[in-house]
Amino acid sequence: MPIKRKNILLVTPFTVLPGEKGFHRLTYIAEKLGRRGHQVTLVTSSFQHYDKAFRDKTDVASRSLEIPYNIVLLDELGYTKNIGLDRIRSHRHLSKQLHQYLENLKEKPDVIYCTYPPMDA
C-alpha cells in the first residue's frame, strides 16, 4: 500500500542544523521524513541558542541543498544570557515572526510538530 505523502511542518527554536556541532532529534526526524518522500519544512530561529550567535543564512542555504527537507530561518533578536529580559524579548520577537510566517503559508500543512515553543508561540 503506497504511503500518502504529507506536507509536514516542524517548528523548533532550539535545534542543531546540518553543519553545526551537536545532534537534535528534530533534524533527524526531518531527514527521515524527507527521505520517505514527504514534503518537510523545518522552521527554526536565525539565532543559534547553544553558541549565542546568529546563523550564517548563506551557509544554511548552501547546506540545505544537500538535505531532503527545507529550512526556514525566522529572525530573532538574540541574547547573551539564558535567563534575562533580553531572552524574553528575543522569544517574543521570534513568536511574532512565527505567527506571520504561519499566516502567510500558501498551503496548509497536514501535520505541525512543535518542540520547545517559546511562551508566546
Side-chain angles (χ1 to χ4, degrees), residues 45-108:
S45 173
S46 62
F47 183 72
Q48 212 273 357
H49 169 77
Y50 303 106
D51 293 335
K52 306 291 185 282
F54 289 94
R55 292 183 160 110
D56 180 337
K57 291 181 181 182
T58 305
D59 184 52
V60 171
S62 68
R63 289 180 188 276
S64 295
L65 300 174
E66 304 167 5
I67 56 177
Y69 58 93
N70 300 311
I71 297 174
V72 172
L73 295 179
L74 299 178
D75 289 332
E76 188 172 353
L77 302 175
Y79 48 90
T80 57
K81 297 178 183 175
N82 282 339
I83 299 173
L85 293 176
D86 286 344
R87 183 171 179 172
I88 293 169
R89 278 188 216 100
S90 187
H91 285 189
R92 181 173 291 153
H93 182 78
L94 179 65
S95 294
K96 289 177 183 175
Q97 298 298 310
L98 177 59
H99 180 83
Q100 187 176 33
Y101 173 80
L102 293 173
E103 274 191 341
N104 292 319
L105 282 176
K106 292 183 182 8
E107 187 179 332
K108 186 177 178 181

